[in-house]
């Protein structure tokens, strides 16, 4: 069964360092998402991406964050200068070409980021 | 602000009972509604989706949607210990999907 894959599964970094989290969405999917979940808290929407541009972003997704689809398969989340409060599990998700409001999101297993 | 509210629980039911999970949302323009299950340390996995008012049944699960009341619920019949998890309500408006904080369900043998 096709799945969303994320790397790394766990990354430890020093405050102020740049981090790139990588995702390979399901191959025929067109919509891509990043979410984060701070330990013990809710899953929070960060950004959605379609047709090579951001389509929606939340108030969390500030100038420290950026997303990119550098080739036909990868979808990355970059955090420019990490802060302690960026420590969380980051989930990538993708959705197929079903247009509009239907269609489920398929989630990857997550990348745990620990900022020291 | 697009809010999705859930009772955080914990909700505890005996094995074989019906578990009832509730969710309200603030954005009247919301178009689709989902229930996800999340085990500790794992990613969310989809249980049910519902798009129109009324009930939708899938095995032991029934989702109910009332757009006028901005309310969506999930019933789990014949609850099993393996149903013990956090249940996340998710609401989509346009191209973002927002989650509630989740309700932790424990099914006791």
């Amino acid at each position: 069964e096709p799945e969303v894959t994320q790397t790394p599964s766990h990354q430890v970094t020093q405050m102020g360092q740049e981090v790139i989290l990588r995702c390979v969405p399901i191959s025929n999917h067109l919509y891509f998402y990043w979410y984060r979940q701070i330990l013990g808290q809710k899953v929070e929407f960060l950004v959605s991406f379609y047709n090579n541009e951001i389509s929606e972003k939340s108030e969390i997704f500030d100038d420290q964050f950026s997303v990119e689809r550098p080739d036909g398969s990868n979808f990355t989340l970059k955090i420019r200068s990490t802060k302690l409060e960026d420590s969380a599990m980051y989930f990538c998700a993708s959705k197929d070409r079903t247009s509009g409001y239907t269609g489920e999101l398929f989630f990857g297993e997550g990348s745990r980021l620990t900022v020291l | 602000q697009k809010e999705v509210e859930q009772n955080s629980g914990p909700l505890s039911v005996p094995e074989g009972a019906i578990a009832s999970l509730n969710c309200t949302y603030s954005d009247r323009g919301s178009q689709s509604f989902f229930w996800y299950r999340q085990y500790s340390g794992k990613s969310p996995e989809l249980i049910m989706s519902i798009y129109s008012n009324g009930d939708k049944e899938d095995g032991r699960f029934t989702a109910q949607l009332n757009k006028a009341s901005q309310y969506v619920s999930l019933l789990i019949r014949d609850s099993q210990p393996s149903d013990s998890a956090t249940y996340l309500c998710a609401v989509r408006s346009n191209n973002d999907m927002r989650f509630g904080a989740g309700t932790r369900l424990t099914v006791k043998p």
Side-chain angles (χ1 to χ4, degrees), chain A residues 31 33 35 37 42-43 45 48 50 55-56 58-59 89 91 95 100-105 107-109, chain B residues 1-4 31-32 34 36 38 41-44 46 51 88 92-101:
Chain A
Y31 299 85
Y33 306 80
Y35 287 83
Q37 187 174 32
K42 67 190 291 184
V43 176
F45 170 74
S48 59
Y50 171 70
S55 50
E56 299 270 353
S58 73
E59 54 281 357
M89 181 76 90
F91 292 109
K95 186 168 80 76
Y101 58 86
T102 60
E104 68 170 287
L105 268 60
F107 283 83
E109 290 299 309
Chain B
Q1 191 80 354
K2 299 175 184 177
E3 300 289 343
V4 180
Q31 300 146 325
S32 50
F34 304 85
Y36 282 80
Q38 186 178 32
K42 300 295 186 182
S43 60
L46 182 72
Y51 306 116
L88 310 177
R92 179 181 295 145
S93 307
N94 300 314
N95 203 23
D96 70 23
M97 189 168 77
R98 309 266 173 152
F99 285 84

Side-chain angles (χ1 to χ4, degrees), chain B residues 67-80:
Chain B
K67 289 186 180 180
S69 301
Q70 295 174 244
Y71 173 88
V72 58
S73 67
L74 179 71
L75 299 177
I76 306 174
R77 288 181 299 282
D78 188 23
S79 297
Q80 301 297 309

Side-chain angles (χ1 to χ4, degrees), chain A residues 81-92:
Chain A
S81 176
T82 50
K83 303 187 284 287
L84 295 176
E85 54 265 37
D86 293 327
S87 295
M89 181 76 90
Y90 288 81
F91 292 109
C92 174

